[in-house]
Amino acid sequence: MNAIIDPIVLYVGLAVGALGVLIALPRRGVNPQLIGIVLAAAGFGAVIGVLAYLGAQAGESLSVFFYVFAAIALLSALRVVTHQRPVYSALYFILTILASSALYLLVGSEFMAFALIIIYAGAILITYLFVIMLATQAPTEQDVGIMSPYDAYAREPVAATATGFVLLAVLTGMFATGVPRVAATGDAGAGLREDPALLVHLPGRVIRGLEGRDVFSVFEKPERGELVDGEGPVELDLERGVVGLMLREGGDELLARRLAEETRDVRFAELFIGVGGEGGPGLPPAGVVAAGGPVLVGLPEDVAPTNLDGVGWTLVAGHPVTLEVAGVILLMALLGAVVLARKQIELGEDEKEAAARLASHGGTFGGPSSGPDAFAASVGPNTAPPGEPARSTPAEGTPSSSLEDRRE
Amino acid sequence: MTTACAAISLAGWAAQAASGAPASVLGPEPGAAIGAVVEPGLGPIGLYHYLFLAASLFVIGVIGFISRRNMIIMFLCTEIMFQAAAIALIAFSRFHLNHDGEVFVIFVLTIAAAEAALALALVVLLFRRKESLDSAEWAQLKG
């Protein structure tokens, strides 16, 4: 890539952004966060605006929704960092996640977009919210509305902002200095598609797609063997992906013609139907298309592999071991979290008394310790700490506990 | 916040309009074939858009990780950094029309989930010790 942005514009934009982030970080005393956020937005917006201008000049304008969701993602990330209340930070992070999943959708990566929402917004962020609410002291009467000091102001805001934006300047410096150009595959502007060569691995998809068009009988009920090329010699474009389907000896010329004409405009991938093709399952030598030879047709558009096909195939066929390792990592994290969070806190005298009273009552809600202990009992005898003999007894459903349930 | 969002998106659109090119609302024109739904792709400039966004998000995460003192927010900032990396991976994956990048995002999500589980368990543990989420409370840990 050549240098596309004037370095002065880039660095001035970043400097304004840095100033804005610095102002927006929480601090003691006067806290003009709104001004900071507007400044930061102006800084980032300047750079993105220049990029948009360049893209439009190159005839490659992005969807307007990109700018909308990029703005939402950036500013809500900024709010995560600058908001003084942790719960709001987490909620703004959910907004970041939603915006970036919209950005995934804009480039046609729908599987990851929805996976992101489910995993991040649905699972991880809920855990964060739980922990934030678990690990916050309840405000007492007199200090409602007073934040904890560690939330109220940032530590070393100047150094942090400087570090961050120098890093950003180095990262985005290639916009101003240029790096070797990378050619895009496919024709930009016309829209890119999933790699059609993937269809070679997904014959079931081709067959289903052709079945729906009522031409699949060509392959199933051959009647005559002669096949002619519909429109003269057509070059086989191997780079766009070729799916070979053999017509059996004695195929139906009429149906094959219909298939060719129906799908001629949709040159998604070349499907050729041949009789007794050479070299593999129906693959004739490239360029050899003559009367009586294979007929080139395009595949119907709905046969094109989708993003889901691509991700699924690559995940399972390309990275099976990594997938297993990821599962093992998750399992280890699960066990680690259980081991870490199981650790008992020392109960004060009052809580011990209350727990003992509840235990003698036979209630299942025996203080804060009964939950983890019940879990430990179900995990196995080895994990139960030896020094605590009788605490898990109330969790085992005694007759009196069921009596209490009935009373409630 | 809302006005700032509108400002950035308007900047993008206005720049497109100013360049004289027809400002497209729904991205590139779909393919010529009737009934064909062509996915919008990424060209080089589009890739730069995504890369700049990813770099900015990453840096916001870095700034937050350095400057915030609440341990939960610090871990939230690492999630922002994960997210930035995932956006860059997706953009590259779509640019090269190769699914490996997207598959890698799945692994990034896995690591993020594992990290969240362990880190939050640690945070709860540390909070029980000191009744505070301030990371400066643990400054005596000198390794």
Side-chain angles (χ1 to χ4, degrees):
Chain A
M1 119 189 195
N2 307 318
I4 55 169
I5 291 188
D6 188 3
I8 297 178
V9 175
L10 176 66
Y11 294 133
V12 166
L14 292 186
V16 173
L19 189 64
V21 172
L22 181 60
I23 294 176
L25 280 176
R27 67 189 64 237
R28 289 192 184 92
V30 194
N31 217 355
Q33 286 197 322
L34 188 64
I35 299 173
I37 284 173
V38 170
L39 264 184
F44 288 125
V47 180
I48 291 183
V50 171
L51 280 176
Y53 180 76
L54 292 168
Q57 270 193 334
E60 192 199 315
S61 38
L62 280 169
S63 153
V64 163
F65 291 117
F66 171 83
Y67 302 104
V68 175
F69 287 115
I72 294 177
L74 273 180
L75 293 176
S76 53
L78 203 56
R79 284 310 269 157
V80 175
V81 172
T82 58
H83 210 289
Q84 289 169 312
R85 297 193 181 275
V87 176
Y88 281 88
S89 283
L91 293 179
Y92 272 116
F93 186 63
I94 292 184
L95 196 56
T96 310
I97 292 300
L98 293 181
S100 46
S101 84
L103 291 173
Y104 290 8
L105 274 183
L106 284 180
V107 284
S109 175
E110 64 262 20
F111 174 73
M112 285 320 298
F114 294 119
L116 189 74
I117 291 182
I118 291 170
I119 296 176
Y120 250 108
I124 296 181
L125 255 294
I126 297 303
T127 320
Y128 269 93
L129 279 177
F130 269 131
V131 172
I132 287 172
M133 293 172 180
L134 201 68
T136 310
Q137 298 102 326
T140 51
E141 285 289 324
Q142 61 269 27
D143 61 14
V144 173
I146 295 178
M147 280 161 284
S148 331
Y150 51 82
D151 285 328
Y153 58 94
R155 164 184 66 191
E156 304 281 355
V158 179
T161 315
T163 312
F165 273 84
V166 168
L167 179 60
L168 184 58
V170 172
L171 280 176
T172 56
M174 64 164 188
F175 291 141
T177 59
V179 286
R181 187 171 181 79
V182 183
T185 47
D187 34 354
L192 306 179
R193 305 160 195 261
E194 298 295 329
D195 187 6
L198 181 65
L199 278 177
V200 174
H201 300 296
L202 306 169
R205 187 174 184 84
V206 177
I207 290 170
R208 273 199 311 276
L210 291 179
E211 245 173 357
R213 299 208 154 206
D214 197 25
V215 287
F216 188 65
S217 55
V218 176
F219 307 102
E220 284 196 336
K221 296 178 196 161
E223 285 169 12
R224 285 187 296 137
E226 199 76 352
L227 270 183
V228 291
D229 174 27
E231 44 178 357
V234 187
E235 278 198 13
L236 221 70
D237 190 358
L238 284 170
E239 287 195 352
R240 302 196 66 178
V242 173
V243 176
L245 287 181
M246 282 295 290
L247 183 63
R248 278 191 216 137
E249 200 66 41
D252 189 343
E253 179 195 338
L254 216 64
L255 276 176
R257 265 181 182 286
R258 209 178 96 213
L259 175 63
E261 280 179 10
E262 250 189 20
T263 58
R264 189 187 299 150
D265 293 335
V266 196
R267 289 175 60 83
F268 167 72
E270 265 82 347
L271 164 73
F272 60 85
I273 308 159
V275 184
E278 311 146 34
L283 280 173
V288 181
V289 180
V295 178
L296 278 179
V297 295
L299 279 181
E301 189 67 28
D302 51 5
V303 179
T306 62
N307 179 255
L308 189 58
D309 296 326
V311 174
W313 179 263
T314 314
L315 182 63
V316 177
H319 308 268
V321 180
T322 326
L323 190 61
E324 298 292 330
V325 171
V328 172
I329 288 176
L330 274 180
L331 184 66
M332 299 311 287
L334 173 74
L335 292 179
V338 168
V339 168
L340 281 178
R342 234 198 101 258
K343 204 162 154 61
Q344 294 297 313
I345 47 170
E346 293 300 317
L347 288 181
E349 286 301 315
D350 296 346
E351 283 113 342
K352 270 185 192 163
E353 245 174 56
R357 214 179 310 123
L358 271 173
S360 66
H361 250 271
T364 44
F365 309 102
S369 65
S370 80
D373 266 352
F375 187 64
S378 72
V379 163
N382 286 341
T383 56
E388 296 160 315
R391 273 232 225 119
S392 59
T393 38
E396 294 155 3
T398 52
S400 58
S401 80
S402 60
L403 199 79
E404 272 207 348
D405 286 347
R406 232 176 293 138
R407 220 177 291 150
E408 284 172 6
Chain B
M1 170 81 191
T2 324
T3 42
C5 275
I8 286 192
S9 20
L10 275 182
W13 203 358
Q16 277 186 1
S19 73
S24 73
V25 178
L26 292 171
E29 286 298 307
I34 298 168
V37 180
V38 178
E39 288 179 359
L42 267 186
I45 305 279
L47 179 68
Y48 300 155
H49 280 77
Y50 274 83
L51 289 186
F52 179 74
L53 176 69
S56 309
L57 270 184
F58 187 87
V59 160
I60 287 178
V62 169
I63 292 173
F65 190 79
I66 298 177
S67 69
R68 293 305 298 266
R69 308 162 71 211
N70 187 328
M71 283 189 287
I72 297 179
I73 304 293
M74 287 170 72
F75 282 115
L76 213 52
C77 290
T78 63
E79 303 286 339
I80 294 183
M81 290 190 258
F82 276 132
Q83 197 50 52
I87 287 180
L89 281 172
I90 291 273
F92 272 122
S93 160
R94 305 305 296 172
F95 180 68
H96 293 294
L97 289 185
N98 184 333
H99 295 286
D100 287 330
E102 289 176 67
V103 167
F104 209 79
V105 173
I106 295 180
F107 300 132
V108 169
L109 288 188
T110 309
I111 299 301
E115 181 249 350
L118 283 181
L120 291 177
L122 272 177
V123 165
V124 169
L125 209 63
L126 295 180
F127 177 76
R128 282 184 188 165
R129 286 277 174 86
K130 298 242 176 180
E131 291 292 314
S132 162
L133 287 172
D134 193 351
S135 56
E137 291 274 327
W138 298 91
Q140 82 270 20
L141 285 177
K142 297 216 164 66

